[in-house]
Amino acid sequence: MTRVLVVDDHPVVRGGLVGWLAAQEDLEVVGEAGDGQEALALVAATEPDVVLMDLRMPRMDGVTATERLAVSHPAVRVLVLTTYDTDADIVRAVAAGATGYLLKDAPLPQLADAVRAAARGETVLAPPVAARLVSRMRAPAAEAPTARELEVLGGVARGLTNAEIGRELFIGEATVKTHLLRVFAKLGVDDRTRAVMVAVERGLLPGPGAR
């Protein structure tokens, strides 16, 4: 039997997952949690083989919980199940130690198979996620924005004007504009809004809901 812990902050979604997985003869649901903090406690108490982990949850998100499990319970496999498939989310989850990354539109039989594969230590990726990772690896390495350029772009993300950013960073407004033009070129964009969006997608800036 493969022991599974289900972690999702939506009770209806969590209940549906628990019901389907529990109906499989070779899978045993040993617990369910509504956030990452609760998940850590339940992993210690129930010792699952696989944790089915949502990403965006209150108190502690799935990436943070995955990072901590990789240290405290390295034998436990984490299979991310989420609606989010941005490059930043995928890279953060994989870097944190997730064994797999599935989207919530996956058919339930495929989900059960993915849990079994994760328990065997196999990497499980939804086709769109695998395609994104391959594209990212094949893409020519672009010059990364400097720390100062990201500070300037962070000011833009907070809604500051060039003058306000300059005062905050103790640089002239013309220098702010120069930094922004360089960021635009490096990110392949031509306006402030798109620059912030791309930076967030690539994990260069925290998203609006980041804690």
Side-chain angles (χ1 to χ4, degrees):
M1 293 288 284
T2 296
R3 297 166 60 81
V4 186
L5 174 67
V6 178
V7 186
D8 195 294
D9 63 329
H10 293 96
V12 173
V13 173
R14 193 170 67 242
L17 293 171
V18 168
W20 171 259
L21 294 173
Q24 309 304 305
E25 293 183 356
D26 58 336
L27 303 180
E28 178 188 3
V29 178
V30 296
E32 53 182 286
D35 59 63
Q37 191 170 319
E38 187 180 356
L40 294 179
L42 281 174
V43 167
T46 63
E47 299 183 348
D49 301 302
V50 177
V51 176
L52 199 58
M53 183 82 75
D54 192 14
L55 273 190
R56 303 190 185 180
M57 299 177 289
R59 294 208 300 172
M60 181 186 294
D61 65 16
V63 169
T64 302
T66 299
E67 289 173 337
R68 296 191 181 181
L69 285 176
V71 174
S72 62
H73 296 81
V76 175
R77 311 293 184 180
V78 176
L79 180 59
V80 169
L81 181 66
T82 182
T83 56
Y84 303 100
D85 65 346
T86 67
D87 287 1
D89 285 316
I90 295 167
V91 170
R92 287 179 65 231
V94 173
T99 298
Y101 197 110
L102 291 181
L103 302 179
K104 286 185 177 177
D105 59 2
L108 288 174
Q110 179 182 326
L111 175 59
D113 287 341
V115 170
R116 297 181 183 105
R120 295 191 297 267
E122 299 173 16
T123 299
V124 184
L125 298 173
V129 173
R132 277 181 173 273
L133 285 175
V134 170
S135 297
R136 188 182 180 94
M137 292 175 65
R138 288 179 177 172
E143 185 182 359
T146 64
R148 176 61 94 183
E149 288 164 354
L150 289 176
E151 283 182 322
V152 170
L153 192 57
V156 173
R158 289 185 286 122
L160 302 182
T161 66
N162 287 354
E164 290 170 334
I165 294 170
R167 285 195 294 271
E168 186 175 278
L169 299 179
F170 303 103
I171 57 178
E173 189 171 348
T175 304
V176 172
K177 291 179 181 177
T178 299
H179 283 312
L180 286 176
L181 289 175
R182 288 174 179 164
V183 170
F184 291 176
K186 291 176 180 179
L187 298 182
V189 300
D190 56 10
D191 66 74
R192 297 161 70 96
T193 301
R194 183 63 184 154
V196 171
M197 289 176 59
V198 170
V200 170
E201 288 174 359
R202 295 185 185 178
L204 300 172
L205 289 180
R211 292 180 294 278

